[in-house]
Amino acid sequence: MLQNIRDASQHWLGKIVLTVIFTLLIAGIGIFGVEEFFRGGSSTTVATVGKTQIGAEAVRSAYQNQLQRFQAQFRRNITPDQARALGIERQVLQQLVTEAALDQKTSDLGLAVSDAAVLRAIQEEKSFQNAEGRFDRAQFYQTLQRAGLNEQLFVREQRAVIARLQLAEAVSADLPVPQAMREAVHRYSTERRAAAYLILTPSVAGEIPAPSEDDLKAYYEAGKAAYRAPETRAVNLLVLDPEALAKPDAVSAEEVQKIYDAQKGTFGKPERRTIRQIVFPDEASAEEARKAIESGEKSFEAVAKERGTDDKDLTLGTLTKAELFDPAVADAAFALQQGKVSQPVKGRFGTVLLDVTAIEPGTVKPLSEVEGEIRRQVALTRAREGIDKTHDAVEDERASAKPLADIAKERGLALVTVPAVDAQGRDPAGEKVAGIPETETTLPAVFRAEIGGDNEPLRTKAGGYVWYDVTKVDAAHDKPLEEVRDAVAAGWRAAEVEKRLQAKGRELAERLDKGETIEALATEAGLNPHTAEDIARNQPKDQLTADVVARVFATNVGKAGSAQAGENRAVFKVTQATMPAYVPGSPSDKTVEGNFRTAIADDVLGAYIAEVQKSAGVSVNQAALRRAIGGEY
């Protein structure tokens, strides 16, 4: 069972018992405040599970680690409001409570994990193994050091992880999946249907007269929220961007020439060679083979065949010198003439003979082609190095309550003035507002700020800063009818068309149920009849949308129905339903069984954990939780 720890960590069951600990370690992220599980009570206790207390430091560490993972996943910073919306603090607390409850249960049951089992689990973890697949003690200690852990603490946590997993597997392993459930899934997933249908387009609704004033007013009042203007804000943004601050023209020609000469190999295409090698057990046998090749007694290929080297291992590929892993082999291969065999080379994996079958010469771009890029990179580096100095100067002026507009003017910095923008980055006309940097971070901050507030600058992905001053707030409000009359009229007309098509669809479906043919109805309405075969559940087919297909599967065979299909409406009659016979033990049945066994195990384990927590008793100190996370939620 212990050998399956890593496999278990890939699904929900493993996540519940914190088997992802190894992955977190190799990423350099610490364990979630393990010490708090073993310390006595303190005034910073956030939650109590039976006799186990969860401290503020454990919650804070777990919260920050989880936040970092979300930010890496979304590739952007996550604000406190966004973190609360994602429920990160609830996830973290629930995970810690679950771990504490399972730890207490394993203790109550007397479950114990031997030193040998813990040692075996650690030695088998790939994160601590070298290139040969053996446990590397130095790598183990380096990983612990990066994570800020000591060996004693880590081993103690691993013992707890293994015990939790043993308990979880005892509760949820090898649960049976009822055959009736598997057969129901088979019927649901393999059923196919056929239908004859008509598509009613908006033209079938006929001429829609212009709405009266009363019609418009009634429609507007019923859907006034659809025409509501969102809150907008006017804001000044002072943008400190390395790209904008960079001054390529200030880089001298001498500097450009110096960098070009030092890095000439990077401006172009490096030489590539097609290299072959034969590995020998010692230098003597390699020298003997080399002499045989040089004298013409044997070919390079013949020697390779004698050594049992197949074509895959014989040719290293067409590579640059930098792409060769072994420095000794790289030096020898790129000093060798094409068609010649090398002297024996002592590489990292044995003594080898080399030959080069093809050479692609390298090229170097002239200075004139890369001068602009060199200037830009030098200027950008200088701008980034000096950006913190500019940041401090701006902050000093902000401390004296100087407006951003004045600071930008005095320092020649970019000021973005936005007259009105909503939380989605659009102006009152619905157009996207240009010029706002990193809107996913900047806009939420702007809409949390107050007029005249002292706002902290935002750090950008490019390494710059954004300061913002909200200068005006226009609250959300209902737009008057006169302002949205055209949109209301268009909405009313679309609703009328939909109403008529719905009535027409219902009429035609009733006539189909009474025995009329779809061909006769199509001729009468001037429409083309269609048929669809092999309709699968939840999958669009021809002109039938997913919504129509869902209605087809909800209708009995031989019966008719109607459903909206975009701006059109479909009228259909189900003509056939088929499905293959259910065969217990078939490959598809085993797949269903495997999938549902996991789901059932998750449900059973979830219910067990809930019962364990209920029996142990869980209490949460909300004030301590807020202090640990930072702020209100």
Side-chain angles (χ1 to χ4, degrees):
M1 181 276 294
L2 291 172
Q3 289 82 348
N4 295 325
I5 289 177
R6 278 195 306 277
D7 295 335
S9 71
Q10 302 303 313
H11 54 68
W12 182 86
L13 167 62
K15 292 176 183 177
I16 284 294
V17 295
L18 198 61
T19 56
V20 294
I21 186 68
F22 289 116
T23 303
L24 300 182
L25 278 174
I26 198 61
I29 302 173
I31 300 176
F32 296 157
V34 180
E35 293 139 314
E36 294 296 336
F37 285 106
F38 303 97
R39 282 212 297 254
S42 71
S43 60
T44 59
T45 299
V46 172
T48 302
V49 183
K51 303 174 183 177
T52 304
Q53 294 180 330
I54 301 173
E57 186 57 36
V59 175
R60 187 179 301 111
S61 176
Y63 178 80
Q64 290 301 324
N65 290 333
Q66 185 76 326
L67 189 63
Q68 289 172 12
R69 285 195 293 277
F70 272 97
Q71 289 177 157
Q73 178 182 349
F74 296 144
R75 296 182 179 179
R76 62 181 175 85
N77 292 331
I78 294 178
T79 66
D81 285 344
Q82 291 169 335
R84 285 190 285 271
L86 290 169
I88 294 179
E89 75 286 336
R90 295 191 299 275
Q91 297 172 24
V92 165
L93 184 60
Q94 181 58 47
Q95 178 173 305
L96 294 175
V97 167
T98 296
E99 293 169 5
L102 288 175
D103 286 345
Q104 185 162 311
K105 191 64 176 178
T106 58
S107 177
D108 293 344
L109 293 173
L111 295 181
V113 179
S114 67
D115 292 342
V118 176
L119 179 61
R120 185 166 59 252
I122 293 174
Q123 290 178 334
E124 291 176 355
E125 172 53 41
K126 292 188 180 298
S127 302
F128 303 140
Q129 293 177 355
N130 57 25
E132 287 74 36
R134 292 191 294 272
F135 176 75
D136 189 322
R137 181 174 295 275
Q139 187 169 330
F140 170 71
Y141 284 118
Q142 288 171 5
T143 304
L144 293 189
Q145 186 176 19
R146 287 196 299 270
L149 297 170
N150 60 54
E151 182 179 2
Q152 181 181 5
L153 182 62
F154 176 72
V155 170
R156 182 167 56 186
E157 177 59 16
Q158 293 320 292
R159 196 186 304 277
V161 168
I162 296 171
R164 294 173 202 151
L165 187 57
Q166 287 178 329
L167 177 60
E169 288 185 343
V171 170
S172 60
D174 297 327
L175 294 172
V177 181
Q179 182 172 318
M181 176 185 289
R182 303 188 329 253
E183 184 173 2
V185 172
H186 167 81
R187 294 175 61 86
Y188 182 88
S189 60
T190 63
E191 182 182 359
R192 296 293 181 266
R193 292 200 168 196
Y197 64 94
L198 303 173
I199 297 296
L200 307 182
T201 63
S203 61
V204 175
E207 187 67 28
I208 306 295
S212 67
E213 190 66 17
D214 289 340
D215 290 335
L216 278 183
K217 287 181 179 179
Y219 186 79
Y220 168 76
E221 290 297 333
K224 187 180 292 186
Y227 306 102
R228 186 172 176 80
E231 176 186 324
T232 61
R233 296 191 167 204
V235 61
N236 287 333
L237 303 168
L238 178 59
V239 183
L240 197 60
D241 181 59
E243 290 278 0
L245 295 177
K247 294 179 171 54
D249 293 340
V251 181
S252 68
E254 291 76 12
E255 289 178 283
V256 173
Q257 184 69 55
K258 184 177 180 181
I259 292 173
Y260 178 76
D261 291 340
Q263 303 177 13
K264 185 176 293 187
T266 64
F267 301 117
K269 178 182 175 183
E271 178 182 323
R272 289 160 53 89
R273 293 187 169 208
T274 303
I275 304 164
R276 300 188 300 178
Q277 78 169 15
I278 306 172
V279 182
F280 294 86
D282 51 54
E283 187 174 355
S285 58
E287 177 62 22
E288 182 182 350
R290 186 192 69 79
K291 290 179 179 178
I293 297 172
E294 288 282 3
S295 66
E297 179 183 342
K298 296 179 182 178
S299 66
F300 198 85
E301 295 83 355
V303 173
K305 187 174 182 180
E306 289 177 359
R307 295 289 308 152
T309 304
D310 58 25
D311 291 340
K312 181 182 67 174
D313 295 327
L314 177 64
T315 303
L316 297 178
T318 303
L319 309 167
T320 66
K321 188 174 182 179
E323 290 173 332
L324 283 166
F325 176 74
D326 193 324
V329 172
D331 291 340
F334 275 78
L336 191 62
Q337 294 182 14
Q338 183 174 341
K340 296 291 186 180
V341 64
S342 72
Q343 295 291 328
V345 179
K346 291 183 178 180
R348 290 186 176 181
F349 303 103
T351 302
V352 300
L353 289 182
L354 305 169
D355 83 337
V356 176
T357 59
I359 298 177
E360 298 178 9
T363 59
V364 177
K365 293 181 181 179
L367 177 60
S368 58
E369 289 187 20
V370 298
E371 181 179 1
E373 179 61 22
I374 294 175
R375 287 182 181 275
R376 194 188 74 82
Q377 289 297 336
V378 173
L380 187 58
T381 299
R382 288 178 179 174
R384 285 174 175 156
E385 290 173 350
I387 207 164
D388 286 336
K389 182 178 179 181
T390 305
H391 164 270
D392 294 343
V394 172
E395 281 292 276
D396 289 341
E397 296 192 69
R398 289 283 285 172
S400 62
K402 184 175 288 189
L404 288 179
D406 294 346
I407 298 174
K409 185 177 181 180
E410 291 176 6
R411 295 190 165 274
L413 300 174
L415 183 74
V416 179
T417 301
V418 181
V421 63
D422 65 17
Q424 280 67 50
R426 302 186 181 278
D427 62 20
E431 299 295 328
K432 200 73 175 176
V433 176
I436 300 177
E438 299 186 12
T439 55
E440 71 278 3
T441 302
T442 303
L443 284 176
V446 167
F447 275 80
R448 287 194 305 269
E450 298 179 356
I451 296 178
D454 184 14
N455 306 312
E456 289 291 325
L458 305 173
R459 190 73 190 239
T460 66
K461 295 175 184 175
Y465 295 91
V466 177
W467 287 266
Y468 53 98
D469 277 345
V470 177
T471 58
K472 183 182 178 183
V473 176
D474 288 327
H477 60 277
D478 293 326
K479 295 180 181 179
L481 176 58
E482 289 307 315
E483 188 178 330
V484 294
R485 178 175 291 273
D486 290 344
V488 172
W492 178 88
R493 186 183 185 283
E496 285 297 305
V497 169
E498 183 179 345
K499 189 186 301 182
R500 291 191 182 192
L501 291 183
Q502 188 174 9
K504 185 66 174 178
R506 184 166 51 249
E507 174 201 336
L508 294 179
E510 290 173 354
R511 291 172 63 181
L512 286 171
D513 281 338
K514 291 178 181 178
E516 295 188 53
T517 65
I518 203 157
E519 290 78 12
L521 296 182
T523 301
E524 179 185 310
L527 302 173
N528 294 321
H530 303 277
T531 58
E533 306 287 339
D534 197 36
I535 304 173
R537 198 183 299 270
N538 302 322
Q539 297 181 19
K541 179 74 172 181
D542 301 333
Q543 300 182 64
L544 304 180
T545 65
D547 290 339
V548 177
V549 169
R551 186 65 64 85
V552 167
F553 275 86
T555 304
N556 292 333
V557 176
K559 294 294 183 178
S562 173
Q564 188 171 351
E567 64 176 10
N568 302 322
R569 192 165 192 87
V571 178
F572 61 86
K573 183 174 184 177
V574 181
T575 57
Q576 189 181 36
T578 60
M579 69 184 70
Y582 169 68
V583 180
S586 64
S588 60
D589 183 51
K590 290 181 179 178
T591 299
V592 171
E593 184 177 17
N595 293 339
F596 271 84
R597 179 175 287 115
T598 300
I600 291 173
D602 290 348
D603 289 344
V604 170
L605 183 59
Y608 178 77
I609 290 173
E611 184 60 32
V612 168
Q613 292 180 3
K614 180 179 177 181
S615 299
V618 178
S619 63
V620 177
N621 184 333
Q622 295 294 340
L625 176 60
R626 285 193 292 271
R627 288 194 299 271
I629 299 301
E632 301 292 328
Y633 64 89

